[in-house]
Amino acid sequence: MNSDILQVKDLHVHYDTYSGVVKAVGGVDFSVRAGEKLGLVGESGCGKSSTVLALLRMIKPPGRIVAGQVLLDGVDLLRLSDEEMRLARFAAISLIPQGAMNSLNPVMRIREQMADTMRAHNGGRPKRELQDRVRELLQWVGLSDWVANMFPHELSGGMKQRVCIAMAISLKPKVVIADEPTSALDVVVQRRVMHTLERVQQELGASVILAGHDMGLMAQFVDRLGVMYAGLLVELGATEGVFEEPLHPYARLLIDTLPSLDRKGDFKGIPGVAPSLLSLPPGCAFQPRCPHAFDRCSVDEPAWQEARPGRWVACHLWTEGRG
Ligand code: SF4
């Protein structure tokens, strides 16, 4: 449970736009342990989706991975040939995409799409064997056999998302990445999808990286939580610890925005807006919104440091012992 299966080092992702270079991911470091569930949370545009898509090398132009390493069992995925990476997807690291609606082929039956994925990696597996495996996978994610004969439009959003989970685990990858897997689903379906994902993680022993904005969902699902802001990780630690005592002022404010029974009807927001990733403020990117900012914050960018064992934070309060 403690060895790192995935290590992400100094990852940078940029998008070239007419207005300039958008630094969507500005140097992110984290690792994922074998069998653990890690969450990446933040407001929209904080870089969480770009981070997870970069792990699979699925950033599309005008985006590009500018620098970094993504070590899966010691092998840098960013250095693999395109063909080697194609084979690694699904077999070693796979994606449950955002919005199942758009990720399934609308003119192919579920059975064919799932068999295609497996055929693309395992070549000439007998048709019968593939069909048995499709049935087994569908059962695993709680869907009936008849789903195999359906087209995507004949299924509900939650069923489609579970088909995506079945496809993502079809080749028993070591790491499964879920990018906002429950967006656009109602709360009851959300819970079912998350329960399915939980079973997958437990039974397959895979590590799961969950990217999302829903702190409540994260609190229930992940073992460790990384908070992202303006393309950077600002805090990372055991979920319970982060919720009980957030070290970074942004993480603190984010947790304060959660509805609480003690503060009925009193909803809090975070003052100000996130900065443009085209031109970040000097020093700490959170400085214009931070209630604890002091002189150094608008000059020096805070370093990513282990403030306590297992707790990482990027904030001068901790470098200067003011935290
Ligand atoms: Fe706030 Fe300064 Fe810490 Fe940034 S470095 S979060 S501005 S206290």
Side-chain angles (χ1 to χ4, degrees), residues 27-46:
V28 157
D29 292 85
F30 65 92
S31 57
V32 184
R33 298 168 192 157
E36 89 164 334
K37 294 168 283 183
L38 175 83
L40 292 179
V41 74
E43 294 166 294
S44 84
C46 70

Side-chain angles (χ1 to χ4, degrees), residues 248-249 284 286-287 290 292-294 297 302 315-317:
H248 193 279
C284 171
F286 190 55
Q287 174 266 324
C290 181
H292 304 284
F294 54 102
C297 302
C315 172
H316 291 312
L317 291 175

Side-chain angles (χ1 to χ4, degrees), residues 43 270-274 288-289:
E43 294 166 294
I270 302 177
V273 289
R289 301 170 82 183

Side-chain angles (χ1 to χ4, degrees), residues 242-300:
V242 173
F243 272 87
E244 269 172 17
E245 195 195 350
L247 303 186
H248 193 279
Y250 173 66
R252 237 174 268 166
L253 288 169
L254 205 57
I255 288 165
D256 279 351
T257 62
L258 287 173
S260 137
L261 286 175
D262 307 335
R263 300 191 312 262
K264 270 187 225 159
D266 176 19
F267 290 106
K268 281 192 175 179
I270 302 177
V273 289
S276 161
L277 297 174
L278 275 167
S279 61
L280 290 170
C284 171
F286 190 55
Q287 174 266 324
R289 301 170 82 183
C290 181
H292 304 284
F294 54 102
D295 294 349
R296 190 179 170 193
C297 302
S298 52
V299 181
D300 295 334

